[in-house]
């Protein structure tokens, strides 16, 4: 069962091939057997999952099953789940049992999906390798010496290893697309505002967006159908109708205009990654698409702009962790300042502190205009690059990451780690959607093709990705680890 | 040296919305601690703010009432600092693009002259919670019920030149917000608080002196006292060769002094930046026109109308328009009795005196405006005399009767105007007072007028106050003069 | 713009993060490198460009002034480190 897509599993549940309880038990057993090698889960909610599965089976028997009723999923531990520990990968929230559900979680519950547990992640979603988790590193199922990418590394590794058919992640600068690429799965970051952020622990509010991570684009379409839409609790969620994303998956691609940003094929791109991406583009040409080079001239300023805006927002968003109402509190504080400074010093990890300090510094008096205001202006230019490009082409294609998954511990210097996100980060600054699709291997590690569309072009991205997956099988290839333990 | 005082006020007005500015939790005062602090107010991980439309409407109404510019776009910013009553570690406020731009307020001074105080801007923000310092084993308790209550912070220009002007300005703001119904204006419950910026400069000097900010002053009286103390302190300091330092001070009403808040005062840097969880608020002309059309008559307009249409003095018009409740009460009394001057006298005299004695606000007056209006009508139509009217008022105040007529009837206070009955009482009084009659007869004619008072009093007493004093006076004079 | 240890100290104080001397040195190094990278922004000509705070040009929607929340104090305080009589406790605040 673990090698099947959500679409296939949903069909099997519908036809009665097996029950949700059986399916759920199967995946729970796989987690128990395999996850010790990966560390992709922070919490496993087996009991609750089985209860949900039984309810799903009952609903099905009563004729009340929806498309995804009874499908097991996992949630990045950034989604607030009522009654379940929601740690955000941090010691700060190690003791935090959320008293409420994120809107995404409510929607998935309503759709009848089953949550198997909460997946590992970089602390507060700050990282590109999953090495910043309080709960330890996650390993890449394709190669245990490699990182799974981050920050949604646990979700990506769990799906890739067949521990769960699909998972929800979040993406602030590439945190869905890069781990999806590193682990050989499909991951969609929707348009900013497409999915409610309510109940998703904030990292950088103007950049954060949740999205599905699964084996196929079709699976992502099913999940996006459930989680997308306006939420009265999120002012930044967009009041705009949600189409059935599965309906347009099979639209033909003849005449599709693909742009290849020349800045995405420059220095630093590993040759075998470039080859895999160019081969994928050729597949599109064979499907009737036309290809041309385009330019996104401000690409190289995306990382600098991001490392002002995201830490600035984060420094403010993370001020609520003060040891007063929830979260870690230091032992016997001497006074108020001691309570604050020690609780926060003990509760946050290195990378989080680094970003809080950067953000605090760049927002402070005398630096605000030179950094923050400047970065916001550059942000507008970056968005304009994309809008200009989409005047000429339908979608943009390029690598999701300059290299395949790197080795654990390979990036010691924060800046070299940040540079990993060169192809993903501008997308969040512009708020446009992007999807990473498995497109081959480089040195035995997966390569992701990134496809970008204009605001609210999710249906088109899923269509374009799905058509590729109709004629390739990279997305169906499983790592050996998934099979040897079956 | 002659010193001039320069004062600017930042008034924080709690807006009378049902729910909070960014959450659906109740704003009701006095609930058990933290029972009205929802996930958003507590700043739980993952929560997000959504702006209350009523808070926006109320802020705009204020802006329109003070003839302010209302910019098309306003933006919420985060003011970052740590404090236990500030759950998120930042206060959502408006630093760069406030909802209300420059406007002005007219204040009335003691000599009934008016002065315009300019408003720099007014912005929306969320209130913080409360720290309770009672003993929790040496700890402080935090109640976040108030966190997220909408505040309109109204920032004046430094246009006030005395403590009295500052108090008059605060009263003017109070009357505007209560007229608009956008705040209950209850200063005791903290619905209106203000920070006072005070500086002094030699008379005639153009530039301002260094100012001190007195935080959280919460009554009209305290504003005057705090400023009076602070002005004296600054003048003394300068005259002794010292320098005023820019600092935050706290007014202590017990000791009637201001003192430096050194503990809270450290070089702060609030790192304002636009709140990424909220989008720009855009108000179109149609919306503004709609709100403008809903504005009630405002205090300044009412004051003017009371003078021109009702013929009240500037003083009366000012007192009676000071609060919406007072004005509405007066207008109802006037509507019922039809005599503005009498209505004004009764509301400011008998009624206000009784309210003050029992420390009641006019909304809680035991005598309703309608009852008072009827009572005045009975005086005007000669059913009762002035003295009886006071008795009727007292009875209504004590709840002895539903209307003036009922009390008049029950107590038999109707004026006796039957000449025969009055005459017989007069005859009796004259018969029982031979000594006074003799005295009357023997006095100089010009002194007799004075002496008649004794007889009037006796007759009024005999009638248990129901006789008409003018009538008694006339008849007495006739009868006594007949004895000469 | 060169970063000095005093900047890190000040940021740490504003952000209420206890930072030891050793850590401060490390942060000065890391943050300097990050800011060097960030300084590339100064090369971009942004003359006449308005800052962009949100990726979509959307405006704030307003909610009706209705009470939609009920008292959940017990549930919310279950995850609190120190409460008494419904109040959150902190070391004594000196006004």
């Amino acid at each position: 069962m673990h090698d099947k897509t959500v679409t296939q599993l949903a069909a099997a549940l519908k036809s009665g091939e097996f029950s949700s309880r059986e399916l759920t038990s199967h995946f729970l057993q796989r987690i128990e057997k395999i996850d010790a090698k990966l560390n992709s889960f922070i919490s496993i909610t087996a009991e609750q999952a089985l209860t949900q599965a039984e309810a799903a089976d009952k609903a099905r028997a009563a004729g009340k099953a929806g498309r995804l009723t009874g499908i097991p999923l996992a949630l990045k531990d950034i989604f607030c789940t009522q009654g379940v520990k929601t740690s955000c990968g941090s010691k700060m929230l190690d003791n935090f049992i959320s008293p409420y559900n994120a809107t995404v979680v409510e929607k998935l519950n309503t759709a009848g999906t089953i949550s198997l547990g909460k997946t590992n992640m970089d602390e507060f979603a700050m990282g590109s390798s999953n090495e910043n988790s309080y709960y330890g590193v996650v390993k890449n199922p394709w190669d245990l010496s490699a990182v799974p990418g981050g920050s949604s590394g646990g979700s990506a590794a769990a799906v890739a290893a067949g521990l769960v058919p699909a998972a929800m992640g979040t993406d602030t600068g590439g945190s869905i697309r890069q781990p999806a690429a590193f682990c050989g799965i499909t991951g969609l970051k929707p348009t900013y505002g497409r999915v409610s952020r309510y109940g998703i622990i904030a990292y950088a509010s103007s950049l954060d967006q949740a999205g599905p991570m699964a084996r196929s684009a079709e699976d992502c379409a099913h999940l996006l159908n459930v989680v997308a839409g306006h939420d009265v609790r999120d002012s930044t969620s967009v009041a705009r109708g949600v189409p059935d994303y599965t309906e347009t998956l099979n639209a033909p691609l003849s005449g599709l205009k693909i742009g290849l940003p020349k800045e995405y094929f420059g220095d630093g791109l590993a040759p075998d990654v470039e080859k895999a991406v160019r081969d994928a583009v050729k597949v599109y040409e064979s499907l009737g698409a036309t290809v041309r080079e385009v330019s996104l001239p401000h690409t190289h300023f995306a990382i600098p702009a991001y490392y002002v805006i995201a830490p600035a927002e984060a420094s403010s968003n993370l001020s609520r962790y003060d040891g007063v109402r929830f979260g870690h509190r230091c032992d016997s504080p001497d006074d108020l300042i001691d309570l604050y400074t020690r609780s926060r010093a003990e509760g946050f990890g290195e990378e989080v502190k680094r970003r809080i300090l950067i953000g605090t510094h760049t927002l402070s008096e005398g630096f605000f205009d030179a950094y923050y205001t400047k970065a916001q202006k550059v942000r507008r230019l970056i968005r304009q690059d994309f809008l200009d490009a989409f005047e000429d082409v339908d979608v943009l294609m390029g690598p999701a990451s300059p290299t395949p998954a790197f080795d654990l511990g390979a990036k010691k210097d924060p800046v070299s780690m940040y540079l990993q996100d060169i192809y993903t980060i501008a997308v969040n600054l512009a708020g446009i959607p992007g999807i990473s699709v498995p497109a081959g291997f480089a040195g035995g590690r997966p390569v992701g093709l990134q496809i970008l569309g204009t605001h609210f072009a999710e249906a088109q991205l899923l269509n374009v990705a799905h058509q590729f997956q109709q004629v390739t099988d990279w997305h169906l290839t499983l790592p050996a680890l998934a099979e040897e333990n079956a | 040296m002659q010193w001039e005082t320069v004062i600017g006020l930042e008034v924080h007005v709690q807006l009378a919305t049902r729910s909070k500015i960014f959450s659906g939790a109740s704003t009701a005062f006095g609930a058990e601690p933290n029972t009205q602090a929802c996930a958003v107010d507590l700043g739980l991980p993952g929560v997000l703010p959504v702006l209350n439309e009523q808070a926006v409407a109320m802020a705009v109404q204020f802006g329109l009432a003070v003839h302010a510019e209302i910019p098309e776009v306003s933006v919420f910013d985060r003011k970052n600092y740590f404090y236990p009553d500030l759950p998120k570690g930042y206060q959502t406020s408006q630093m760069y693009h406030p909802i209300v731009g420059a406007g002005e307020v007219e204040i009335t001074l003691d000599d009934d002259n008016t002065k315009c105080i300019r408003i720099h801007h007014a912005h929306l923000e969320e209130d913080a919670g409360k720290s309770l310092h009672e003993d929790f084993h040496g700890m402080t308790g935090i109640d976040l019920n108030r966190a997220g209550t909408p505040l309109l912070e109204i920032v004046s220009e430094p246009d006030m030149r005395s403590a009295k002007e500052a108090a008059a300005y605060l009263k003017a703001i109070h009357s505007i917000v209560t007229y608009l119904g956008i705040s209950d204006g209850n200063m005791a419950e903290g619905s209106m608080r203000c920070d006072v910026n005070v500086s002094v400069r030699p008379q005639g000097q153009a530039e301002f002196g260094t100012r001190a900010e007195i935080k959280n002053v919460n009554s009209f009286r305290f504003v005057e006292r705090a400023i009076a103390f602070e002005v004296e302190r600054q003048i003394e300091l300068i005259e002794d060769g010292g320098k005023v330092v820019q600092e935050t001070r706290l007014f202590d009403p017990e000791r009637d002094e201001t003192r430096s808040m050194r503990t809270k005062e450290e070089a702060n840097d609030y790192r304002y930046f636009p709140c990424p969880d909220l989008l720009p608020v855009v108000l179109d002309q149609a919306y503004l026109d709609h709100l403008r059309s809903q504005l009630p008559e405002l205090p300044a307009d009412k004051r003017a109308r009371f003078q021109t249409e009702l013929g009240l003095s500037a003083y009366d018009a000012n007192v009676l328009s000071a609060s919406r409740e007072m004005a509405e009460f007066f207008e109802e009394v006037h509507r019922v009795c039809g005599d503005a001057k009498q209505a004004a006298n009764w509301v400011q005299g008998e009624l206000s005196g009784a309210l003050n004695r029992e420390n009641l606000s006019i909304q809680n007056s035991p005598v309703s405006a309608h009852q008072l209006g009827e009572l005045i009508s009975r005086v005007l139509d000669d059913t009762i005399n002035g003295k009886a009217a006071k008795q009727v008022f007292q009875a209504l105040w004590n709840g002895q009767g539903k209307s003036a007529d009922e009390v008049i009837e029950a107590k038999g206070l109707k004026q006796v105007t039957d000449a025969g009955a009055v005459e017989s009482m007069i005859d009796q009084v004259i018969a029982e007072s031979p000594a006074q009659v003799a005295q009357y007869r023997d006095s100089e004619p010009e002194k007799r007028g004075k002496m008649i008072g004794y007889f009037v009093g006796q007759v009024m007493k005999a009638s248990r106050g129901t006789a008409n004093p003018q009538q008694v006076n006339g008849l007495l004079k006739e009868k006594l003069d007949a004895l000469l | 713009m060169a970063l000095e240890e005093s900047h890190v100290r000040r940021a740490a104080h504003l952000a209420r993060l206890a930072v030891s001397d050793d850590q401060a040195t490390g942060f000065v190094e890391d943050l300097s490198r990050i800011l060097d990278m960030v300084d590339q922004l100064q090369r971009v000509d942004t003359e006449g460009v308005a800052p962009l705070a949100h990726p979509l040009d959307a405006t704030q929607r307003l909610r009706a002034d209705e009470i939609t929340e009920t008292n959940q104090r017990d549930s919310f305080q279950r995850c609190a480190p120190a409460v008494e009589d419904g109040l959150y406790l902190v070391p004594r605040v000196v006004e």
Side-chain angles (χ1 to χ4, degrees):
Chain A
M1 300 175 196
H2 64 271
D3 53 354
K4 292 195 161 56
T5 63
V6 168
T7 315
Q8 291 165 332
L9 292 172
L13 285 171
K14 193 174 178 189
S15 70
E17 201 176 310
F18 41 73
S19 67
S20 173
R21 204 200 139 88
E22 286 165 326
L23 185 63
T24 301
S25 305
H26 173 75
F27 279 109
L28 285 170
Q29 280 162 20
R30 283 184 61 83
I31 292 169
E32 200 167 314
K33 263 196 265 172
I34 300 170
D35 199 44
K37 291 198 179 77
L38 298 175
N39 193 32
S40 67
F41 278 84
I42 290 173
S43 303
I44 298 154
T45 51
E47 210 172 302
Q48 185 191 307
L50 291 170
T51 309
Q52 280 185 319
E54 279 162 22
D57 287 332
K58 276 197 193 123
R60 186 171 298 285
K64 288 178 191 155
R67 283 197 216 175
L68 297 188
T69 299
I71 296 290
L73 301 174
L75 300 163
K76 185 179 183 178
D77 207 18
I78 199 169
F79 292 92
C80 283
T81 43
Q82 190 171 1
V84 174
K85 177 163 111 174
T86 301
S87 75
C88 218
S90 182
K91 179 183 178 187
M92 182 58 86
L93 290 177
D94 185 49
N95 60 5
F96 181 64
I97 311 292
S98 174
Y100 78 104
N101 275 331
T103 298
V104 162
V105 175
E106 286 291 327
K107 287 184 171 220
L108 288 169
N109 286 346
T110 305
T113 64
I114 316 301
S115 172
L116 300 186
K118 309 291 291 291
T119 55
N120 206 339
M121 58 182 286
D122 282 303
E123 185 180 4
F124 283 99
M126 298 178 189
S128 311
S129 69
N130 225 303
E131 293 168 297
N132 296 336
S133 170
Y134 174 63
Y135 300 94
V137 298
V138 177
K139 291 173 183 164
N140 191 314
W142 291 93
D143 183 339
L144 295 178
S145 64
V147 302
S151 66
S152 310
S155 287
V159 172
L163 307 188
V164 66
M168 288 299 295
T170 60
D171 188 319
T172 306
S175 285
I176 286 176
R177 291 159 289 153
Q178 185 252 25
F182 280 13
C183 291
I185 64 166
T186 308
L188 171 71
K189 182 207 92 79
T191 306
Y192 180 81
R194 179 73 295 188
V195 177
S196 167
R197 293 186 295 114
Y198 190 79
I200 297 171
I201 298 179
Y203 158 25
S205 311
S206 77
L207 302 160
D208 295 343
Q209 184 62 200
M213 304 173 80
R215 221 165 268 308
S216 69
E218 187 175 22
D219 288 2
C220 288
H222 279 293
L223 282 169
L224 188 61
N225 276 349
V226 173
V227 298
H230 176 233
D231 180 6
V232 293
R233 289 182 179 274
D234 176 2
S235 302
T236 62
S237 77
V238 176
R240 185 182 170 118
V242 179
D244 181 343
Y245 293 105
T246 61
E247 270 183 8
T248 42
L249 289 173
N250 287 313
L253 299 188
S254 55
L256 179 79
K257 286 182 275 180
I258 297 171
L260 302 183
K262 65 176 184 204
E263 293 80 5
Y264 285 28
F265 293 88
D267 287 349
L269 177 60
D272 41 4
V273 171
E274 176 167 0
K275 182 175 186 311
V277 169
R278 293 210 184 266
D279 286 349
V281 172
K282 283 189 194 121
V283 172
Y284 278 103
E285 284 178 305
S286 74
L287 294 174
T290 59
V291 178
R292 54 180 289 190
E293 189 182 85
V294 297
S295 175
L296 302 169
H298 296 93
T299 295
H300 291 289
F301 302 107
I303 291 179
Y306 177 92
Y307 278 96
V308 173
I309 293 167
E313 292 182 8
S315 70
S316 176
N317 284 336
L318 270 59
S319 291
R320 68 190 60 199
Y321 307 104
D322 59 3
V324 177
R325 296 162 320 286
F326 45 77
H328 177 74
R329 180 181 194 135
C330 65
D331 281 334
S332 34
D334 297 336
D335 54 21
L336 193 60
I337 190 95
D338 186 41
L339 166 72
Y340 287 154
T341 57
R342 211 144 49 83
S343 298
R344 289 166 63 77
E346 291 168 5
F348 292 137
E350 286 304 292
E351 183 60 23
V352 172
K353 287 180 192 172
R354 224 175 264 139
R355 295 198 195 185
I356 288 175
L357 290 173
I358 279 283
T360 305
H361 177 68
T362 54
L363 284 179
S364 66
E365 228 176 294
F367 298 98
F368 179 79
D369 285 334
Y371 289 123
Y372 188 79
T373 309
K374 183 78 180 178
Q376 297 260 45
K377 290 178 177 175
V378 173
R379 183 177 190 177
R380 184 176 294 277
L381 295 174
I382 288 167
R383 185 181 71 162
Q384 197 56 46
D385 282 356
F386 283 110
L387 297 181
D388 291 346
F390 290 124
E391 293 283 311
D392 298 332
V393 297
D394 299 314
V395 293
L396 297 172
M397 288 189 189
S401 170
T403 66
F406 45 88
D407 287 345
L408 288 159
K411 310 266 178 204
K412 297 244 182 327
D413 157 46
V415 173
S416 68
M417 182 75 89
Y418 298 168
L419 296 175
Q420 276 302 305
D421 296 331
I422 175 86
Y423 304 135
T424 50
I425 245 169
V427 172
N428 299 75
L429 291 168
I432 59 171
I435 190 167
S436 176
V437 180
F441 292 87
R445 296 177 185 178
V447 171
L449 166 73
Q450 183 177 223
I451 313 168
L452 307 175
T454 194
H455 294 122
F456 300 103
E458 286 83 359
Q460 184 173 41
L461 291 189
L462 290 163
N463 163 229
V464 170
H466 179 69
Q467 290 306 304
F468 181 74
Q469 292 180 339
Q470 295 307 293
V471 294
T472 59
D473 58 4
W474 303 117
H475 64 294
L476 299 176
T477 317
L478 288 181
L481 174 132
E483 300 299 359
E484 72 202 24
N485 292 280
Chain B
M1 169 112 51
Q2 281 290 330
W3 295 93
E4 184 178 48
T5 307
V6 175
I7 303 161
L9 257 59
E10 291 164 22
V11 183
H12 298 81
V13 175
Q14 269 187 10
L15 297 177
T17 54
R18 281 189 286 269
S19 63
K20 294 190 177 170
I21 183 166
F22 298 122
S23 82
S26 169
T27 54
F29 181 81
E32 285 290 300
N34 291 309
T35 55
Q36 286 175 184
C38 73
V40 173
D41 307 327
L42 293 173
L44 288 186
V47 299
L48 296 171
V50 184
L51 183 57
N52 184 335
E53 64 176 2
Q54 196 61 28
V56 170
M58 287 173 165
V60 172
Q61 281 174 302
F62 175 80
L64 294 173
V66 298
H67 317 291
E69 305 161 35
I70 310 292
E72 189 188 356
V73 179
S74 62
V75 175
F76 283 93
D77 300 296
R78 291 184 182 177
K79 177 183 183 180
N80 295 283
Y81 67 96
F82 283 84
Y83 206 67
D85 62 14
L86 188 72
K88 299 184 295 294
Y90 58 83
Q91 180 192 31
T92 309
S93 180
Q94 298 184 307
M95 176 66 178
Y96 302 108
H97 302 283
I99 190 159
V100 173
E104 58 183 34
V105 169
E106 187 185 87
I107 61 169
T108 307
L109 306 173
D110 275 353
D111 53 8
D112 293 330
N113 283 332
T114 58
K115 175 175 176 177
C116 245
I117 305 296
R118 290 168 304 153
I119 288 185
H120 180 271
H121 78 271
H123 65 259
L124 280 168
E125 62 185 25
E126 55 184 341
D127 207 345
K130 276 182 185 161
S131 302
L132 293 119
H133 304 290
E134 290 114 54
D135 195 28
F136 295 99
H137 332 289
M139 307 280 272
T140 290
I142 308 294
D143 175 10
L144 297 171
N145 279 349
R146 200 180 65 183
T149 299
L151 291 179
L152 184 66
E153 180 172 337
I154 304 158
V155 180
S156 82
E157 295 285 356
D159 283 355
M160 287 149 277
R161 294 290 175 268
S162 69
K164 283 213 179 314
E165 285 187 18
Y169 168 78
L170 191 59
K171 280 178 188 156
I173 294 289
H174 184 268
S175 88
I176 291 170
V177 299
T178 51
Y179 264 72
L180 292 170
I182 62 173
S183 176
D184 64 16
N186 189 330
M187 296 186 87
E189 288 176 5
S191 301
M192 214 170 125
R193 322 188 278 274
C194 76
D195 300 340
V196 189
N197 287 298
V198 184
S199 64
V200 296
R201 62 180 170 190
Q203 197 78 255
Q205 178 181 301
E207 59 270 31
F208 294 129
T210 307
R211 66 191 159 87
E213 183 183 26
I214 313 167
K215 281 270 182 206
N216 257 325
V217 189
N218 62 1
S219 87
F220 299 118
R221 216 154 32 95
F222 290 173
V223 165
E224 283 200 60
R225 281 164 50 188
I227 294 171
F229 174 87
E230 184 59 23
V231 166
E232 206 170 314
R233 185 189 72 88
Q234 291 186 12
I235 292 173
E236 252 174 58
L237 191 64
I238 300 169
E239 288 183 342
D240 289 351
K243 257 188 165 175
V244 176
V245 288
Q246 186 163 342
E247 62 175 350
T248 305
R249 300 179 68 86
L250 197 70
F251 177 63
D252 180 347
E254 310 264 301
R255 297 197 192 163
D256 212 1
E257 64 177 26
T258 68
R259 59 169 183 271
S260 184
M261 290 173 74
R262 281 189 202 88
T263 49
K264 220 177 160 181
E265 184 70 17
E266 47 175 278
N268 229 325
D269 180 346
Y270 293 121
R271 290 158 284 137
Y272 283 98
F273 75 106
C275 178
D277 288 328
L278 292 161
L279 299 167
V281 179
V282 176
L283 306 173
D284 61 24
Q285 196 54 46
Y287 177 79
L288 300 186
D289 290 344
H290 169 72
L291 286 181
R292 204 188 309 271
S293 73
Q294 311 267 301
L295 287 183
E297 187 182 25
L298 289 162
D301 302 327
K302 235 185 230 304
R303 190 162 57 234
R305 186 169 58 82
F306 283 178
Q307 290 183 63
T308 54
E309 275 182 29
L310 304 182
L312 297 185
S313 68
Y315 176 82
D316 285 356
N318 196 34
V319 172
L320 292 171
S321 62
S323 80
R324 183 178 183 161
E325 289 77 17
M326 176 71 98
E328 282 175 354
F329 196 101
F330 162 73
E331 288 186 287
E332 175 65 7
V333 173
H334 172 235
R335 191 188 62 78
V336 173
C337 76
D339 185 321
K341 188 68 201 157
Q342 283 297 320
N345 287 348
W346 273 89
V347 170
Q348 291 178 87
E350 206 65 19
L351 179 73
S352 292
L355 291 171
N356 285 344
R357 268 195 300 283
E358 301 201 14
N359 209 4
L360 289 173
S361 61
I362 199 158
Q363 304 92 292
N364 298 320
S365 167
V367 179
S368 73
H370 192 82
Q371 287 173 326
L372 183 57
E374 285 183 336
L375 167 57
I376 298 169
S377 299
R378 293 299 160 264
V379 178
L380 293 170
D381 67 12
D382 280 337
T383 306
I384 52 174
N385 60 40
K387 191 163 176 210
K390 287 186 180 174
Q391 276 179 268
V392 174
F393 179 84
Q394 202 52 51
L396 288 170
W397 183 273
N398 295 333
Q400 302 161 307
K402 288 197 185 68
S403 66
D405 288 338
E406 195 183 308
V407 174
I408 292 166
E409 188 63 38
K411 297 200 177 262
L413 294 173
K414 204 163 174 174
Q415 251 178 171
V416 181
T417 46
D418 166 18
V422 176
E423 274 182 67
S424 70
M425 280 188 273
I426 289 171
D427 291 343
Q428 200 178 338
V429 167
I430 289 174
E432 285 168 1
S433 318
Q436 285 80 1
V437 172
Q439 227 180 323
Y440 183 86
R441 195 174 42 216
D442 300 340
S443 355
E444 300 291 313
E446 55 273 19
K447 288 193 179 158
R448 286 182 189 140
K450 238 182 179 176
M451 297 186 63
I452 208 163
Y454 165 79
F455 297 98
V456 175
Q458 291 304 107
V459 176
M460 290 308 290
K461 201 167 162 189
S463 76
R464 293 183 1 269
T466 61
N468 180 326
Q470 278 87 40
Q471 189 187 24
V472 170
N473 209 326
L475 287 170
L476 257 172
K477 204 157 175 303
E478 265 172 46
K479 283 186 182 277
L480 286 170
D481 288 350
L483 294 174
L484 296 175
Chain C
M1 281 171 278
L3 184 86
E4 291 171 18
E5 187 174 327
S6 62
H7 292 128
V8 172
R9 291 268 172 219
R10 177 161 171 74
H13 173 68
L14 288 171
R16 299 294 185 269
L17 276 176
V19 170
S20 70
D21 291 349
D22 279 0
Q23 287 171 319
T25 314
F27 282 132
V28 173
E29 248 172 67
D30 290 348
L31 269 56
S32 295
R33 249 178 293 167
I34 297 167
L35 290 176
D36 283 347
M37 183 267 287
V38 161
D39 278 340
Q40 293 174 59
L41 289 175
Q42 309 308 329
R43 303 204 325 252
V44 186
D45 178 7
T46 52
E47 187 67 36
V49 178
L52 181 70
H54 293 95
L56 303 174
D57 295 308
T59 59
Q60 181 66 33
R61 274 185 322 279
L62 306 177
R63 44 168 269 274
D65 180 24
E66 284 161 6
I67 298 168
T68 52
E69 300 292 333
T70 52
N71 172 21
Q72 296 186 62
R73 184 175 78 182
D74 291 348
S75 155
F76 292 154
Q77 293 195 337
R78 226 166 276 145
C79 57
V83 286
E84 191 173 314
D85 298 342
L87 297 160
Y88 295 95
L89 295 190
V90 297
R92 195 154 180 79
V93 177
V94 193
E95 286 267 340

